[in-house]
Amino acid sequence: MFKVKAPEIAKKYKAGQFVILRVHEKGERIPLTIADSDEMEGTITLISQEVGKTTTALGKLRRGDRIPNLVGPLGKPSEVGNFGQVVVIGGGVATAVAYPEARALKGAGNRMISIIGARSKDLLILEEEMRRTSDELHITTDDGSKGHHGFVTDVLKQLIEKQTKIDRVVAFGPAIMMKAVANLTRPHRIKTMVSLNPIMVDGTGMCGACRVSVAGQTKFACVDGPSFDGHEVDFDLLMARLRMYLDQEKISMQSSTARMNVAGEAYGR
Amino acid sequence: MAGKPSEKLLKRVPVRKRPPEIRKHSFDEVSLGYNEEEAIAEASRCLKCPSPFCVKGCPVQIEIPAFIECIKKGDFSGAIAKIKEKNSLPGICGRVCPQELQCENECVFGKRGVPIAIGALERFAADYELRKGVKLPKKAKSTGKSVAVVGSGPAGLTAAGELAKLGHDVTIFEALHLPGGVLVYGIPEFRLPKSIVKAEVEYVSRLGAKVKTSVIIGRTLTIDDLFESGYHAVFIGTGAGSPWFMRIPGENLNGIYSANEFLTRCNLMKAYVFPEYDTPVHSGKRVAVIGGGNAAMDAARTALRLGGEDVRIIYRRSRDEMPARAEEVRNAEEEGVTLELLANPTRYLGSKEGRVEQVECLKMELGSPDESGRRRPVPVKGSEYLTPIDLAIVAIGAGPNPLIAQTTDGLKVGDDERFIVDEQGKTSRDMVWAAGDIASAEGTVIHAMGNAKTAALAIHNYLTK
């Protein structure tokens, strides 16, 4: 997690938006969702997980270093309204995106139930922040080191089974998690918004790298999204497209001195 | 005019090119241009027509016979000065303008013999100046007015250059991390070296225009923000950056790119030197490029250079209807690209993992002319056939980017989502002008420049009235 001075972006930012950045002259352009902004200070907060070459290089930056190219805020802001009782789900590093959304929804008068999950307790982020913005916070870990032993969807399932009134679900996380969430809520017709994280290049609608299929229509996540109705998203296509450069990502990591840590979603925001 | 031209005068001094066998493995510029001797010889063919048609064929009205006369006399500095009275980007135009449809199409030699190689001579003069050091023209004294130029492609650079010369305080806003727009993300190095674009952007900067990269108008700042921060006028030249797809089954399979993405990865992000540069691009042995325009040629020739063995351009009409420059089609064919004409993809088939493996096409025949005046392609029933491929590039055109229209009140767009403008490039919004592909469908660098220049003069008149 790091703060970047970017006064123009900080001023315009709304929950759900992201930036594209490049860490050096030969670097790739990658999208990162904005976790927070401070207009007075002129800063935005970004969180990234070291999974690829660019995110690894980001992790090596020290206080005072410059990010040569940073552009934003990109994407449409998420829909914020008073829906009633809302369940916000953050999986892994995407909790960083769930947090501003939860805060905005709380500010709009919703009662907030938050579920955050990670592989283990050391990887949980923003727990205190999420607790402050939530009326109810649930924690899950894959290894059981904290909270519920299992997945965020287990908790969601329990909530649904207990017939908790849920007016809307908003999910942020790996595609596979968002797919599972959407599959859970679909039979109950609970409106479910997801924030998609496809590979991007320019982030301005110019290349079509980020195309996703929503209700059978091709959309560009960078300008039409990144937030879409989870019941209409073709997650299998999204997951296949996220795997498009796994081999190249390995070559790229090997060619640098960076640590190998290619996870399932090399480009996860 | 001189008497009957001799047979020798009718022939053009050929422009040297790298041989196909060598160039198809290299991103170095294909055309080598004229040397001094060749340029003088070619310039000597010009008849100096008293009322030259070539000038009328030029969207920015360069005084063509005058600059050619300078070259003929060996006054190369005079030649470039003459060109730059009308055109701030000669190194670019000399390379990518469709001269055969414009100035050269009007040349009297076209009726008998071969037109003067005006484009090659323009390029020669521009390259001469780049080697010698670029001189700055006289600038008008400051008007105290400031203009925001949105987009740094051909339209934006032209408007910025003109307005800066006229004494206005100009700031260019570019969304990407490098200025140049389609000149850097779209047109490949082997057709337009990025060093040329860089030099011509520098020229516009030295005229006084400031360039702010990584600022998206419509997101980072809106048009209203620009006026609030004190700009007196806004010029929008954001181009046609939103790629079209055919919306056929399988088009989102891995291994299918828009031409914009494929070319952006290669040109702007330098994926052809991966992993030295971080951005990857998929290459393929069997490549299908869909479309018949310059972007299709650029994509096909790039795919060839990335190791393509069977690179075919699939186009639904015949060769005569192809919108690409004839020279680029010739270059592509010389390098080994094949044309699969009168064929149109209907779907793509892929592997379990979601990678493209085949394209299904339908054969077409030409019917009666459509609204574009070209003969309409009509499908031949039951003529579907499959071709194995491992890469497809969709190059069927692009529309305007919607961000500014979505975030600006009072800016009217037409059915094609382009801004509605008058002959001066004035939009429906006060103090806002637009030119290039965002405002018209002509789609060439020089038309964008011609219209941008008209708009720049209209802005100047407005600011100084």
Side-chain angles (χ1 to χ4, degrees):
Chain A
M1 175 149 43
F2 50 99
K3 273 189 180 180
V4 188
K5 197 157 186 74
E8 285 172 333
I9 301 175
K11 195 173 167 190
K12 274 280 152 50
Y13 161 75
K14 290 201 171 68
Q17 291 187 301
F18 61 94
V19 292
I20 291 238
L21 58 79
R22 212 166 66 118
V23 281
H24 60 85
E25 279 305 300
K26 296 181 177 178
E28 205 172 356
R29 292 171 65 99
I30 64 154
L32 285 179
T33 304
I34 303 170
D36 206 349
S37 80
D38 185 330
E39 198 183 327
M40 296 295 286
E41 208 181 67
T43 58
I44 54 170
T45 302
L46 302 174
I47 298 186
S48 82
Q49 192 172 19
E50 296 185 20
V51 290
K53 197 171 168 187
T54 302
T55 46
T56 304
L58 268 178
K60 290 193 169 36
L61 292 180
R62 294 289 160 256
R63 178 185 293 273
D65 285 351
R66 262 180 65 82
I67 295 175
N69 306 119
L70 177 74
V71 63
L74 299 166
K76 286 187 176 157
S78 309
E79 187 190 357
V80 175
N82 191 346
F83 306 111
Q85 180 144 282
V86 178
V87 175
V88 170
I89 302 173
V93 71
T95 304
V97 202
Y99 167 59
E101 186 92 2
R103 204 176 42 183
L105 286 165
K106 178 76 187 163
N110 294 285
R111 187 175 187 277
M112 301 302 299
I113 301 175
S114 300
I115 311 170
I116 60 172
R119 284 207 302 275
S120 75
K121 86 175 183 220
D122 302 336
L123 294 169
L124 277 169
I125 55 167
L126 298 171
E127 183 185 333
E128 280 320 302
E129 286 85 348
M130 285 301 279
R131 196 179 303 282
R132 279 201 301 275
T133 53
S134 309
D135 296 285
E136 210 179 306
L137 176 71
H138 300 268
I139 291 170
T140 70
T141 49
D142 297 3
D143 63 0
S145 53
K146 185 159 191 179
H148 168 78
H149 185 171
F151 299 128
V152 289
T153 40
D154 301 341
V155 174
L156 178 64
K157 196 167 171 217
Q158 285 163 17
L159 289 171
I160 293 172
E161 278 168 0
K162 280 193 289 185
Q163 305 205 326
T164 312
K165 177 176 167 292
I166 303 175
D167 298 296
R168 178 178 281 239
V169 170
V170 191
F172 303 87
I176 186 89
M177 183 209 91
M178 294 191 287
K179 179 185 175 182
V181 167
N183 284 344
L184 256 181
T185 57
R186 187 177 288 112
H188 304 279
R189 299 207 180 131
I190 302 167
K191 178 87 169 176
T192 299
M193 298 304 289
V194 293
S195 179
L196 303 188
N197 55 352
I199 296 167
M200 294 185 185
V201 182
D202 64 292
T204 67
M206 190 268 276
C207 80
C210 66
R211 58 198 197 271
V212 292
S213 177
V214 181
Q217 298 279 318
T218 294
K219 300 278 179 192
F220 291 178
C222 68
V223 288
D224 300 322
S227 175
F228 293 101
D229 185 331
H231 295 156
E232 297 184 336
V233 170
D234 182 344
F235 284 103
D236 294 337
L237 176 71
L238 173 68
M239 287 187 277
R241 289 185 66 80
L242 282 165
R243 289 191 295 267
M244 190 154 166
Y245 296 100
L246 282 189
D247 295 344
Q248 284 86 345
E249 186 73 9
K250 282 177 194 152
I251 296 168
S252 192
M253 291 293 281
Q254 278 157 359
S255 79
S256 68
T257 52
R259 177 169 62 93
M260 271 292 286
N261 184 10
V262 180
E265 285 184 33
Y267 290 76
R269 298 211 293 274
Chain B
M1 220 187 293
K4 202 179 158 202
S6 75
E7 283 305 310
K8 195 179 161 213
L9 270 182
L10 294 175
K11 285 206 186 114
R12 181 182 275 197
V13 177
V15 180
R16 284 171 292 116
K17 290 198 280 191
R18 280 180 216 285
E21 275 314 307
I22 290 174
R23 71 188 198 230
K24 73 183 204 190
H25 302 297
S26 156
F27 279 84
D28 291 342
E29 190 173 14
V30 165
S31 170
L32 296 168
Y34 284 146
N35 60 29
E36 293 187 6
E37 198 184 323
E38 290 161 338
I40 291 171
E42 180 63 12
S44 304
R45 293 171 62 215
C46 179
L47 299 176
K48 287 191 283 172
C49 306
S51 63
F53 294 111
C54 52
V55 179
K56 291 184 193 131
C58 173
V60 295
Q61 282 92 46
I62 294 174
E63 289 178 42
I64 294 165
F67 97 74
I68 291 182
E69 179 67 10
C70 290
I71 292 181
K72 184 178 159 187
K73 290 182 184 152
D75 174 15
F76 307 135
S77 305
I80 191 64
K82 201 76 210 163
I83 293 170
K84 280 195 162 172
E85 285 173 10
K86 297 291 169 74
N87 180 357
S88 302
L89 313 172
I92 294 166
C93 290
R95 287 173 168 84
V96 304
C97 263
Q99 293 100 3
E100 67 280 6
L101 301 177
Q102 298 171 345
C103 52
E104 294 178 13
N105 188 40
E106 306 293 327
C107 176
V108 291
F109 270 127
K111 295 188 179 65
R112 216 181 128 222
V114 185
I116 308 289
I118 301 167
L121 289 172
E122 181 182 27
R123 173 191 161 171
F124 166 79
D127 289 359
Y128 173 84
E129 192 194 32
L130 277 185
R131 282 197 307 276
K132 294 283 164 183
V134 177
K135 283 205 196 94
L136 283 185
K138 275 211 190 88
K139 261 179 64 178
K141 73 175 204 306
S142 171
T143 60
K145 303 283 184 182
S146 61
V147 184
V149 170
V150 185
S152 66
L157 289 175
T158 301
E162 293 300 318
L163 289 162
K165 274 196 277 186
L166 291 164
H168 304 292
D169 183 9
V170 178
T171 306
I172 303 176
F173 295 92
E174 166 56 47
L176 292 172
H177 57 266
L178 283 179
V182 71
L183 306 169
V184 294
Y185 76 71
I187 303 179
E189 181 76 19
F190 56 81
R191 198 151 75 83
L192 177 62
K194 299 313 138 205
S195 58
I196 302 289
V197 181
K198 192 163 173 245
E200 300 205 334
V201 170
E202 263 167 32
Y203 174 71
V204 173
S205 303
R206 283 176 59 208
L207 289 173
K210 294 179 277 291
V211 183
K212 287 194 176 177
T213 54
S214 295
V215 180
I216 299 189
I217 304 302
R219 287 273 187 250
T220 317
L221 297 169
T222 61
I223 298 288
D224 292 302
D225 290 335
L226 294 175
F227 285 119
E228 262 167 49
S229 63
Y231 288 99
H232 299 99
V234 172
F235 172 87
I236 303 173
T238 47
S242 189
W244 290 335
F245 287 91
M246 293 181 67
R247 297 169 185 267
I248 56 176
E251 208 172 18
N252 293 334
L253 285 165
N254 285 351
I256 304 180
Y257 288 110
S258 72
N260 267 12
E261 182 184 356
F262 184 72
L263 291 170
T264 298
R265 284 180 178 273
C266 294
N267 301 332
L268 177 72
M269 306 309 296
K270 302 254 182 281
Y272 63 88
V273 274
F274 177 87
E276 185 195 337
Y277 280 72
D278 291 351
T279 304
V281 68
H282 278 290
S283 49
K285 299 271 181 247
R286 301 179 65 99
V287 185
V289 179
I290 320 303
N294 287 320
M297 301 304 139
D298 287 344
R301 297 171 69 194
T302 299
L304 207 62
R305 283 159 174 76
L306 291 175
E309 287 166 8
D310 171 4
V311 180
R312 58 183 71 202
I313 285 181
I314 299 178
Y315 181 55
R316 63 195 179 126
R317 307 185 200 235
S318 75
R319 182 188 289 264
D320 291 344
E321 286 85 17
M322 279 188 143
R325 292 185 63 191
E327 186 189 340
E328 300 309 333
V329 180
R330 198 160 50 238
N331 280 336
E333 286 192 289
E334 279 174 10
E335 289 166 13
V337 172
T338 52
L339 303 184
E340 194 161 311
L341 301 166
L342 291 166
N344 204 25
T346 45
R347 61 179 173 142
Y348 297 94
L349 305 171
S351 67
K352 266 204 321 287
E353 294 74 34
R355 260 205 76 89
V356 68
E357 288 182 328
Q358 284 178 303
V359 57
E360 182 191 79
C361 293
L362 197 57
K363 289 195 174 134
M364 311 293 275
E365 56 194 13
L366 290 179
S368 48
D370 62 11
E371 59 277 8
S372 75
R374 297 177 297 176
R375 293 181 65 190
R376 186 192 303 272
V378 185
V380 178
K381 255 203 183 126
S383 65
E384 289 91 345
Y385 62 98
L386 288 167
T387 309
I389 55 168
D390 43 27
L391 189 74
I393 301 160
V394 184
I396 57 166
N401 186 299
L403 284 182
I404 290 180
Q406 279 171 5
T407 55
T408 313
D409 287 334
L411 205 47
K412 283 194 190 135
V413 296
D415 293 340
D416 58 359
E417 292 180 56
R418 294 176 207 273
F419 293 154
I420 295 171
V421 295
D422 65 16
E423 303 88 76
Q424 307 293 308
K426 177 72 180 34
T427 67
S428 57
R429 173 81 189 254
D430 276 355
M431 301 179 283
V432 179
W433 282 258
D437 283 353
I438 190 67
S440 77
E442 276 149 342
T444 66
V445 168
I446 192 69
H447 275 112
M449 291 175 57
N451 294 342
K453 203 170 156 177
T454 306
L457 291 177
I459 292 172
H460 174 67
N461 290 338
Y462 164 78
L463 292 176
T464 54
K465 74 173 176 219

